[in-house]
Amino acid sequence: TINLQSNNLVYQDTGNLDIDGNTLTLEGTGRFQNTGNLRFNNANSKLTISNASTIDKITTGANVNSGKGLDIDDSCTITSLTVTNDLPVDIASGKTVNSGSGAKDISLDSSGDLQFESSGGGGTWGGSNDTIDLNGGTLTVSKTMTIASKFTVNDDSTIGIANGVTLTANNSTDVNIGPNTLTIESAGTGTQGGKITPSFDIKFDNA
């Protein structure tokens, strides 16, 4: 456990700080200001954020098991999250994760699968100035929830929504697909299928 007292900063050098097969808990309302990445590098890596902390940089280095990964118990700030592997996420009901900087929220890269799990609380990811960069990865939504971030499509990417689940995407910034393929899929059909309710238009803006 790291207790981040209010207004205090914890600095880390440029190397990755690997969680390994452990659970790292961040408490308090201070800031973990890390130049290198806080990294999920093991199938059992788990990061629990139990107060309104700020964490600068998080990344993946291994596929993480269901029930592990990123466990958000309180509203907090994650300035940058880069996903190149399977990463389960659980946001407690009524809580919100945003980037704080308004610059970048998530980079969802090739082979990355950000998984909002069915057992999770269904909290909100992002704010009106935050961005999810779809860089060839997959966004898997298995719990009815809201994503308030903007989407950018920079490579062929997928949004998967589980049966009976509604993803409310309430950022009003239009999504330009460009020369890429954006696949929105659900395992179910008709009223049993997953559903996305966007506040934006998805635009075909390239020949």
Side-chain angles (χ1 to χ4, degrees):
T1 298
I2 299 176
N3 194 313
L4 303 171
Q5 297 296 322
S6 178
N7 299 320
N8 285 357
L9 304 180
V10 176
Y11 291 89
Q12 178 216 334
D13 65 22
T14 56
N16 291 318
L17 176 59
D18 289 339
I19 300 173
D20 294 329
N22 307 303
T23 297
L24 174 63
T25 300
L26 298 181
E27 298 178 343
T29 58
R31 181 175 182 180
F32 189 88
Q33 185 173 349
N34 46 321
T35 304
N37 285 292
L38 185 59
R39 186 169 67 164
F40 297 93
N41 67 312
N42 184 284
N44 291 314
S45 295
K46 184 174 183 178
L47 174 63
T48 297
I49 302 175
S50 61
N51 294 107
S53 306
T54 297
I55 305 94
D56 279 5
K57 297 174 69 176
I58 300 175
T59 192
T60 62
N63 291 330
V64 180
N65 291 331
S66 176
K68 301 294 183 178
L70 190 53
D71 178 27
I72 308 294
D73 293 336
D74 201 354
S75 295
C76 64
T77 298
I78 297 174
T79 303
S80 176
L81 172 63
T82 301
V83 182
T84 57
N85 303 88
D86 295 350
L87 180 63
V89 179
D90 176 4
I91 307 174
S93 177
K95 305 304 179 181
T96 299
V97 182
N98 61 62
S99 74
S101 67
K104 183 173 70 171
D105 194 358
I106 299 174
S107 293
L108 190 49
D109 296 342
S110 178
S111 301
D113 189 351
L114 187 66
Q115 304 166 349
F116 292 100
E117 294 198 295
S118 60
S119 58
T124 298
W125 188 284
S128 60
N129 294 319
D130 299 333
T131 301
I132 296 178
D133 290 331
L134 299 175
N135 299 326
T138 299
L139 178 67
T140 301
V141 181
S142 299
K143 180 80 172 185
T144 292
M145 65 172 297
T146 296
I147 293 179
S149 303
K150 298 175 285 189
F151 287 92
T152 63
V153 182
N154 303 313
D155 204 340
D156 297 348
S157 303
T158 300
I159 299 175
I161 306 170
N163 295 355
V165 167
T166 298
L167 168 61
T168 299
N170 64 4
N171 194 296
S172 60
T173 303
D174 293 339
V175 176
N176 296 317
I177 297 176
N180 310 298
T181 299
L182 176 62
T183 302
I184 299 176
E185 62 184 15
S186 173
T189 59
T191 58
Q192 299 303 311
K195 181 172 66 174
I196 181 170
T197 57
S199 297
F200 50 78
D201 292 328
I202 298 175
K203 293 187 173 182
F204 299 91
D205 61 325
N206 187 282

